[in-house]
Amino acid sequence: KGGIAPQKVLLEWIKKLVRLIEASNQALSSSKDALDLLEAAQIATEKGPVNSWDEDLIKKVVDIFETHPAFAKKRIDTRDIIQRLTRRKQKINISEMENNNTNNINQLSSLGTIASGVANIVSPADGSDSSIGISNLLQDIGPACTRNAVTFRETLAEITANSASAMNEAALARVIHFFSDKGQDSSGSSLMGESLALLGSFIPGRGNEASADGWNIKSVAEVLEQDYGSRDWTAVARNFDFPAFMMKSSDQFRCLLDLYRSGAKNNPPLAAFTAQWRNTAGQLSVIESIMAVPQNVFLVPLNEEESLDVATSAQGLTGTDPRCFASMEVLQRLLFLSDNPSLYRRVRDFFVKGLISCPEVLLCALVRLQLHVANTPPQSGRDALANAGLQIKTELMRELIPLFFRPNSHHRVQNAPAALRRLYAISPNTVTAACFEAWRSTVGESSQMRVATLIHIINIARLLPNPADAVASLLNGSKDPEFSVAIAFVMADNEYLQLKPWLVEKLSNKNSAGIFAAAIVSYIAKTHSASRPRGSDPTPLVSLENIAITMQILQALDASLLSQPFSNSDGTQMQGTTLGDNVKAVADACIAAHPNLRNSMTSVSAAGNNAGGSGSGGQPTGASDDVEEMATAYFQKIYTSEQSIGEVVEMLKRFKTSGNAKENEIFACMVHNLFDEYRFFSKYPEKELRITGILFGTLIQEQLVSSITLGIALRYVLEALRKPPSPPGTTTSSGKMFQFGMFALEQFKGRLHEWPQYCSHIVQIPHLKDGYAELVSEIEAAMVESQNRAAASGTGSSGAQTAPAKEQGNFASNQGTAASTKASGTVPSSNSSASSLELPAPVIPVDAKPRVAEFGPRLGRAVSVSDEESEHEAPPENLLDRIQFLINNLA
């Protein structure tokens, strides 16, 4: 080819073999090198003179032929070649070597006549992939071949022109991988002298040029860009799946991407990395590298659903790309790789990073992947997809469900509400099932933890896009009637549910009344011994008030229902053989454990027996029909000034603590209706808005709302304060809400010291700091007072934080509660900050269509009805009753 001196190439090859054999101390492991040396020496002595060999080289070669164990083992006689080398041994200089090059070219016309040991590097004799040889020979030549783009181009041309190899897509993949590891190769400089000599033998004139140290990756990138841009670069990416492929570091992956982009002008397609590979270890190293590099180096492409999953991750993540866990391609491939025992630990470590950094994304993506697999046709490999990574999936869900669906004071998921809302959008049934699984997992744990878990589950339901439907799914008993009963009892204790109407409705369904009644009896039988009054600390699983209400209704059931056979959910028999026998047995047990229940349970039992022959078939009646009307009447008296706010507040205090069930229901109805109207306050006239704000704030000041309800009330006030005030001389909806917040806040300023974190939110509101500096100063003083009280009591900041969490009931696992819980080693009660979720507003379901503001039937006239209000035909009475009944149940 006008420049190659094969004899010189052969000489350099012999020198290299000698060095390799010497480095191995002539061990048997170098047998192949010794045999290659023998073959090369025979060709050299037969085809031309060896006067270019110096004495030292000849001496070393002879010594190897005389002493290397490979020749003795294979019984090869080396005496002839030793004699030939000895006869021709002579000293020469460099000029004599150059003068002999021309004669050597005529003797050997092509590289194909050189020893098969050399040729096999470029074109393997075993028929394997010829592209392997290109990178092998580049390694042998060394860094000098990349001195500049021209040299590298000539080197590739010489390699491919004299062999069966060609720079096809497979060869390009190997070359890119080869050089991706050379960008960090510190040995390049030390090899430069030797590499120049070999390059000069390979391409005449190139060995004498000045050279920079090391491998020049820019020259490689330039040649790829200029000479190979038209190749099928998607095929190049697919050909990265070869045995030697491995990403040793993220820097190597960066270099590989840079070289690939030089020719392709874009990143490799993700599908090339997530398809099924033969080299599974190499494939995992790529996925690990993708996660390790920033998104500006390699951005994992996502579809719309995957992007929604990523949106749930916390902001400011470093070191981990949540897009990797959201990608269904990556996730499915990782599951397949986890089934390889040699890779399982690496895949598990990969997922552990996801659990720590972005569990929100991992939870949503896994559920979405499972739904996708379930919807895959059998002929498309559904079974293989479903069975992939079963062990790792089980481990992941075992970690994720408690993380989101059980209270955890030690690890707070930063963006749990967003993740749960996203999960609900993916699969509402999965959320319900996970809630039940979280509750089921608490069997055998303390009652405090079980109550905390129930409160956490209730809080999750209220976070979801449709809280009414979410709560209904928890209460419908489809998963486990006892689970629904447990949820209902805790909701009733926290003023979320009117227990009596709910029980009446559940026990009115003839198809399920027997099963549901048995579940109630079983649950009370298990939990009644630890029962306490509402508001006790720690909160019981079932309060005495709930036992009294429930047993009253059970004892008043129809005789035909009570006579049905009874069995637990597990099929075991309790005392007696009928539902009625077990109701009586549980009632007796409750009275024995809590004698103060005797009067309420026996009196209602007698009333129920007397009513057994009524037209309703002995079924208990719901809440009094006039409760809503009485609540409405009280509100009307407030707005028409017939009663002062103070008088109504005193009345509510009596109703809340009264032993009269109707008065309790009126109190609950009034509080519920007041909260339900929050969304309409922006439509109220000024007078009614002021009255409402004062009443709302007074309820907080007088501690008429507590636990969860207090948390909602405080959040509503904070929301209203964040609304911008109306500009002077105008009235806006946001301005009305701000006015409401100011009226309410003024009433309970005396309690602000109890909630320093709440105060910090208020003082950060910009328009309060600008226009109400005096108010902000008062609130800041309350924060200082709180800190002083905490210091005086010796509780420190953790105590200051635990108190508001207990009062507000917003279930935010703040630092104070976590610290105090960890220090004491106890589980927080349900009144404390037991969960890692915050309750966002609005927590009351919002109607899709606006309606006229009203507190129950006809109360809207006191606030918003005008003379021009149009007349509407009243719906049937039974429909009104049904609607009101449903509203009460969702309260």
Side-chain angles (χ1 to χ4, degrees), residues 604-621:
V604 175
S605 177
N609 291 335
N610 292 335
S614 65
S616 63
Q619 292 289 349
T621 59

Side-chain angles (χ1 to χ4, degrees), residues 322-334:
R323 299 173 70 93
C324 287
F325 298 102
S327 170
M328 192 177 299
E329 290 182 58
V330 174
L331 203 58
Q332 187 67 69
R333 181 48 45 189
L334 285 171

Side-chain angles (χ1 to χ4, degrees), residues 7 69 92 187 231 271 427 474 534 542 562 698 806 814 860 863:
Q7 192 70 13
I92 64 167
S187 64
R231 296 299 177 90
S427 173
L474 297 176
R534 284 180 180 171
V542 54
L562 291 172
T698 305
K806 179 176 178 179
N814 53 54
V863 178

